Every structure is written in C-alpha cells, then in structure tokens.
C-alpha cells in the first residue's frame, strides 16, 4: 500500500531592504504562508541560505521551490540555482508592478497604502498561480 507523499513548497523571497520590490516580495510570501497555503508552504531564509545553511539548501534541492525576487537582479533565484539546482518557478515583482516602482524607495509596513496592498495582492496571486501549477504536476507523479 503506497501513501501519498506530502509535498511542501519552499518560497524564497527577496531580502532587499532598499527597494519597494523587496518589501512587496516579502509581504506576498508571508501572505502565501499565513493565509493562502499555510500548511503547504515554508519559507527559506535567503541570508541563511547564502551563508551556507545546509538544511535550507537541501530543502530547495529536494522540494519544489518558488523564488520571489523584488527586482531584476533576481538574487533569490540565482542563489537557489547556484546552491540547489533549478527553481520550480520564479516570480519577478518588477514584472508585475514595473521596474520603476519596484526599484522605488522601501517603506515601512506602517506606511502601506491601498496601492501597495494591491501590489502585494497581485504578487500573492502570481505566487499562488505558480503553486497551483506545481501542485498539479506533483499529483501526476
């Protein structure tokens, strides 16, 4: 008798603190983990991943992982590819909200406006859509 393999998905968000895209990336990732797929996703700390965190690197190697980058530097995606192999999906916030906006000044969550919330929702939707594609592919296996 075979049991279905429980699949967790890793979501690695941008750690950029100096631009809005990084903030949007982190808040959308948090929303996926807390509200949309709370028991099916985990986040991987990008700084720990880069510093050599073996658990994080092994997770990204063995489980589907979605990179969510704030700008076209794509640090999260590039780090995963360097240390753990190809990402399962990559979201670029600047593609969703525009380069100029994504590279705009960072802000505190206390200063979020309705416009910022729409950007977070748009990014969350993009992550969720990639998640849906990946979970269907896992169910076929």
């Amino acid at each position: 008798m075979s049991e279905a393999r429980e699949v967790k998905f890793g979501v690695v968000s941008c750690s950029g603190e100096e631009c809005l895209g990084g903030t949007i990336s982190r808040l959308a990732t948090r929303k996926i983990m807390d509200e949309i797929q709370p028991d099916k996703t985990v986040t991987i700390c990008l700084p720990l991943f880069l510093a050599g965190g073996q658990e994080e690197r092994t997770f990204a190697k063995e489980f589907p992982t979605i990179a969510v980058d704030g700008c076209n530097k794509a640090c999260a995606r590039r780090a995963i590819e360097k240390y753990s192999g190809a990402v399962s999906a990559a979201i670029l916030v600047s593609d969703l909200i525009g380069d100029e906006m994504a590279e705009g000044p960072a802000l505190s969550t206390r200063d979020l406006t309705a416009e910022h919330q729409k950007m977070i929702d748009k990014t969350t939707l993009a992550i969720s859509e990639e998640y849906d594609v990946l979970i269907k592919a896992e169910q076929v296996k």
Side-chain angles (χ1 to χ4, degrees):
M1 183 169 151
S2 67
E3 290 185 29
R5 177 179 109 143
E6 181 182 1
V7 177
K8 292 267 187 180
F9 287 77
V11 182
V12 183
S13 66
C14 171
S15 291
E17 292 285 341
E18 63 184 48
C19 66
L20 180 61
T23 304
I24 299 297
S25 168
R26 287 185 298 283
L27 292 173
T29 296
R30 196 77 235 172
K31 190 169 181 178
I32 287 289
M33 291 180 44
D34 292 344
E35 299 173 26
I36 309 296
Q37 298 295 344
D39 298 323
K40 299 175 182 163
T41 55
V42 297
T43 190
I44 297 171
C45 173
L46 184 56
L48 182 57
F49 186 91
L50 290 169
Q54 204 54 52
E55 281 185 44
E56 287 73 13
R57 290 180 181 185
T58 299
F59 183 92
K61 194 177 291 184
E62 296 180 2
F63 292 89
T65 302
I66 302 170
V68 185
D69 284 296
C71 70
N72 60 14
K73 292 178 185 171
C75 301
R77 179 186 55 78
R78 293 169 72 186
I80 295 165
E81 289 175 346
K82 181 174 182 175
Y83 296 111
S84 299
V87 295
S88 300
I91 306 293
L92 196 54
V93 173
S94 58
D95 284 350
L96 300 172
I97 67 171
D99 288 336
E100 189 174 324
M101 186 64 76
E103 293 174 13
L107 74 155
S108 166
T109 54
R110 291 181 300 247
D111 300 324
L112 287 175
T113 65
E115 182 183 11
H116 296 127
Q117 191 57 54
K118 286 180 184 175
M119 294 175 198
I120 295 165
D121 292 344
K122 191 173 189 177
T123 303
T124 302
L125 178 61
I127 299 169
S128 187
E129 288 173 348
E130 291 294 341
Y131 172 87
D132 290 344
V133 168
L134 295 172
I135 195 73
K136 284 180 186 169
E138 284 295 322
Q139 291 170 344
V140 171
K141 290 183 180 176

